Amino acid sequence: MVAHKFTVDLNKPLVFQVGHLGESYQEWVHQPIVSKEGPRFFDSDFWEFLTRTAWWAIPTIWLPVVCWCISMSVRMGHTLPQTALMVAFGIFLWTFVEYVLHRFLFHIETKSYWGNTIHYLLHGCHHKHPMDGLRLVFPPAAAAILCIPFWNLIKFCATPSTTPALFGGGLLGYVMYDVTHYYLHHGQPTNQVPKSLKKYHLNHHFRIQNKGFGITSAFWDRVFGTLPQTKAADRAR
């Protein structure tokens, strides 16, 4: 008896289909469909709503939290220069978290039903539909849940008065990351730095998807040797 290869129906909700792809999921998910119209994920309107987030919701929701956290450290006696230093360090820590999550979690290779399904929800959907404007930033409900372990980790490593500013800096780094990520996909930069970042990130999507994991910068890619080769270097091989 010949087994038939599973085919995803793009006209139906995708989330509970992709798991059936098995080992062919990795090949399927890294063949992008370039369209600003994203697919439907769930039959349920409620769950579908939770997967869609406008980019401006991220700064609107999280920047007040950032300000509140920073003000807590100031009220606990830290000077503005001290607090600014802690916030800057929190932002720097976020860039490392951004790299580690993208490289080791978002690009984990799966083949089981639930492995494929969870990976698609986490990041696979973004590689399959990279221009889906409502699924480019992280849903606030999920981010709020993830804030709890990150807060507790910083609280464990830092003092009670420095924890809020460090966490606020990390959260500010996340906001910068998500807004930058959206801009790299949908913005039309004219300055050299954002133009280079856009080229660098789209290269990750459309040319070398197992390299170039940094979004806000290529710093950690340089540190850990995951810089993608240039096209000229590829041609010279």
Side-chain angles (χ1 to χ4, degrees):
M1 183 176 180
V2 178
H4 293 284
K5 185 177 179 181
F6 182 80
T7 302
V8 172
D9 186 346
L10 295 175
N11 295 314
K12 295 180 179 179
L14 294 186
V15 168
F16 295 120
Q17 291 190 68
V18 297
H20 294 295
L21 287 168
E23 293 183 353
S24 63
Y25 167 76
Q26 291 297 323
E27 179 183 359
W28 176 84
V29 83
H30 289 108
Q31 295 174 346
I33 296 173
V34 182
S35 171
K36 291 184 179 181
E37 295 297 323
R40 188 172 180 91
F41 276 19
F42 296 101
D43 281 315
S44 164
D45 289 338
F46 173 74
W47 292 110
E48 184 71 10
F49 169 76
L50 291 181
T51 70
R52 297 175 180 268
T53 308
W55 73 267
W56 49 261
I58 302 305
T60 301
I61 292 170
W62 294 117
L63 285 182
V65 180
V66 169
C67 293
W68 181 75
C69 288
I70 294 171
S71 70
M72 281 180 66
S73 286
V74 173
R75 292 197 305 269
M76 289 180 183
H78 288 285
T79 65
L80 289 179
Q82 289 173 336
T83 306
L85 191 61
M86 289 184 283
V87 170
F89 186 62
I91 293 172
F92 178 73
L93 287 177
W94 165 258
T95 66
F96 180 68
V97 172
E98 168 195 317
Y99 175 86
V100 169
L101 287 177
H102 192 186
R103 180 179 178 182
F104 296 106
L105 179 61
F106 294 169
H107 278 267
I108 190 172
E109 292 194 2
T110 60
K111 59 182 180 181
S112 69
Y113 177 84
W114 287 110
N116 291 348
T117 301
I118 293 170
H119 179 266
Y120 182 78
L121 278 170
L122 275 177
H123 193 63
C125 60
H126 178 53
H127 271 266
K128 188 65 181 178
H129 301 272
M131 302 306 291
D132 183 349
L134 292 176
R135 293 196 177 97
L136 262 168
V137 296
F138 206 63
I145 294 171
L146 290 176
C147 278
I148 298 171
F150 278 112
W151 170 272
N152 287 327
L153 178 61
I154 295 173
K155 184 179 178 181
F156 177 77
C157 297
T159 66
S161 64
T162 59
T163 294
L166 288 170
F167 179 82
L171 190 58
L172 179 57
Y174 157 69
V175 172
M176 294 164 63
Y177 150 79
D178 241 356
V179 172
T180 299
H181 190 200
Y182 183 89
Y183 181 73
L184 296 182
H185 279 265
H186 291 283
Q188 299 298 328
T190 55
N191 294 330
Q192 188 57 42
V193 172
K195 282 177 71 174
S196 296
L197 272 179
K198 182 181 178 78
K199 181 179 179 181
Y200 187 76
H201 184 59
L202 295 185
N203 184 58
H204 167 75
H205 274 281
F206 297 104
R207 195 168 71 87
I208 307 177
Q209 298 183 353
N210 62 348
K211 300 282 186 181
F213 299 105
I215 306 297
T216 52
S217 81
F219 175 77
W220 294 110
D221 283 309
R222 295 181 187 277
V223 171
F224 293 110
T226 52
L227 276 174
Q229 286 189 316
T230 63
K231 289 183 179 180
D234 281 344
R235 286 194 294 268
R237 291 178 66 183

